[in-house]
């Protein structure tokens, strides 16, 4: 993985490149940001840049023996740690090394759901167990073959406390030129004792144009449709993939959203109960996904009033509905509608009675639309 292979994030590439070139690389680096923006790609590119024997133009060459070893995930001075499922008394990341190599090669943006599928347990709770610390210490004690010993740890927020405690001394007093590169989706959940001993590099969301070009090249959508999906993906390639794969579901959500608003405007209370039961039957995740869609539509319909087309990210069918509906979302109700939707999401996630929660929300929409 070269820096040139990673879309966007030029300031981060420059910062990391300068740390290496100026010999200012810390012993522990925490690369963090939202899922699906290329953090693991950046960690891999950094490790390859450090080990490359023919760096030029601010990037690794991609051709030297070290670069070729990195490409196949077999570089002798690089060790990967990542969450796995508990198996027996001793569980370490290398137990799943073959699956890991296949997973990273096929999922450069690191979809955690895909990793669970690779582990054959979509409901599992993989972790980095205490035995991993022994493996890391053993690896760091080995003699380097021409560069720094690098441990790349994916999702340090899933590291067990016992593992973190054993690694503390190694991070504080590293062996030789060893380097930890931690890659986190949720830096606030990393144990404070580890977090405080790292130099943090935050990667921000990808620009919509970057995500749009990815969607266009991968799925062959029109520029207009690709930009809509890119905007709604909020800077995440993973969200963009999910949205493109769920275009049919988005149409279903639009129809449910239109029914809600039409029934609420007409005060069809009995029919709203049927509608609420229909949403509840989608299950917790389906209901939350639909409510998130409603949040998007409330915001888009409010922005529609500004009459600035470049600010609107609606499909043709959504645009057609918004043309007449947008005037019902205004400064008198938009904040409370948004707040009610967010509270409904929270209540659904807390395993409340979905039928009652959704019906309560639907009835409140009646009053809010009349403001």
């Amino acid at each position: 993985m070269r820096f040139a292979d990673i879309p966007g994030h030029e300031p981060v590439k420059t910062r990391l490149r300068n740390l290496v070139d100026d010999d200012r690389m810390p012993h522990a680096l925490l690369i963090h940001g939202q899922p699906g923006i290329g953090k693991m790609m950046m960690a891999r590119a950094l490790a390859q840049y450090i080990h490359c024997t023919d760096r030029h133009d601010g990037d690794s060459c991609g051709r030297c023996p070290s670069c070729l070893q990195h490409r196949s995930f077999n570089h002798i001075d690089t060790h990967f740690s990542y969450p796995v499922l508990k198996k027996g008394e001793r569980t370490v990341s290398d137990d799943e090394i073959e699956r890991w190599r296949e997973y990273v090669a096929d999922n450069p943006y690191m979809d955690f759901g895909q990793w669970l599928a690779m582990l054959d347990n979509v409901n599992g709770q993989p972790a980095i167990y205490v035995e991993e610390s022994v493996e890391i210490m053993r690896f760091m004690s080995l003699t380097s073959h021409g560069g720094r010993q690098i441990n790349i740890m994916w999702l340090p927020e899933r590291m067990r406390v016992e593992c973190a405690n054993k690694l503390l001394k190694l991070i504080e007093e590293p062996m030789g030129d060893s380097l930890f590169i931690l890659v986190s989706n949720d830096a606030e959940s990393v144990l404070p004792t580890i977090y405080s001993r790292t130099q943090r590099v935050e990667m921000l969301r990808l620009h919509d144009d970057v995500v749009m070009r990815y969607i266009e090249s991968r799925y062959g959508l029109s520029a207009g449709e690709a930009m809509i999906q890119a905007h709604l993906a909020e800077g995440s390639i993973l969200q963009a993939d999910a949205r493109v794969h769920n275009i049919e579901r988005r149409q279903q959500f639009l129809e449910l959203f239109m029914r809600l608003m039409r029934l609420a405007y007409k005060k069809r209370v009995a029919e709203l109960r049927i509608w609420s039961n229909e949403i509840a039957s989608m299950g917790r995740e389906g209901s939350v996904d639909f409510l998130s869609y409603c949040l998007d539509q409330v915001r888009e319909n409010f922005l529609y009033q500004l009459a600035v087309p470049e600010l609107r990210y609606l499909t043709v069918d959504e645009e057609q509905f918004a043309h007449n509906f947008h005037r019902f979302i205004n400064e008198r109700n938009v904040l409370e509608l948004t707040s009610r939707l967010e509270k409904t999401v929270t209540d659904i996630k807390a395993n409340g009675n979905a039928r009652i929660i959704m019906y309560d929300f639907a009835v409140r929409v009646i009053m809010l639309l009349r403001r």
Side-chain angles (χ1 to χ4, degrees), residues 261 265 301-302 305 321-322 324-334 337 368-371:
M261 295 305 168
Y265 180 76
N301 276 270
F302 183 68
Q305 301 177 61
F321 178 67
N324 293 318
F325 174 71
H326 74 274
R327 64 181 183 272
F328 294 101
I329 306 297
N330 51 61
E331 66 278 2
R332 297 182 300 278
N333 62 14
V334 65
L337 262 172
L368 290 172
L369 286 185
R370 295 286 176 172
R371 289 187 180 178

Side-chain angles (χ1 to χ4, degrees), residues 33-41 103 106-115 154-155 185 206 211 214-215 218-219 229-230 232-246:
Q34 71 183 86
I37 58 175
K39 299 185 301 297
M40 177 58 79
M41 297 166 72
Y103 165 71
D106 293 341
N107 296 273
Y109 286 96
M110 310 300 285
D111 182 346
F112 186 67
Q114 288 297 319
W115 179 233
W154 182 50
L155 303 185
N185 289 342
L206 289 165
V211 181
Y214 167 85
I215 293 173
R218 185 177 179 89
Y219 299 105
Q229 300 302 332
L232 296 172
E234 299 179 335
S236 168
I237 293 294
L238 292 182
Q239 285 196 45
D241 280 332
R243 286 187 174 278
V244 173
H245 290 151
N246 288 322

Side-chain angles (χ1 to χ4, degrees), residues 158-214:
R158 288 184 169 267
M159 182 167 35
R160 292 294 178 88
V161 174
E162 301 85 356
C163 180
N165 289 340
K166 284 183 174 291
L167 289 180
L168 276 178
K169 185 174 179 59
L170 188 59
I171 293 176
E172 289 178 326
E173 302 176 14
M175 300 177 181
D177 261 350
S178 61
L179 169 64
F180 285 90
I181 305 177
L182 311 181
V183 182
S184 172
N185 289 342
D186 183 10
E188 293 183 358
S189 296
V190 176
L191 291 167
T193 50
I194 297 294
Y195 181 88
S196 63
R197 289 165 173 80
T198 63
Q199 182 171 320
R200 273 80 69 187
V201 176
E202 182 179 10
M203 287 177 60
L204 304 177
R205 54 158 288 169
L206 289 165
H207 194 277
D208 285 352
D209 287 344
V210 174
V211 181
M212 183 193 75
R213 287 194 292 272
Y214 167 85

Side-chain angles (χ1 to χ4, degrees), residues 20 40 46 72 146 232 253-254 341 346 362:
V20 177
M40 177 58 79
L46 173 59
S72 61
L232 296 172
F253 283 172
L254 171 60
L341 277 163
T346 300

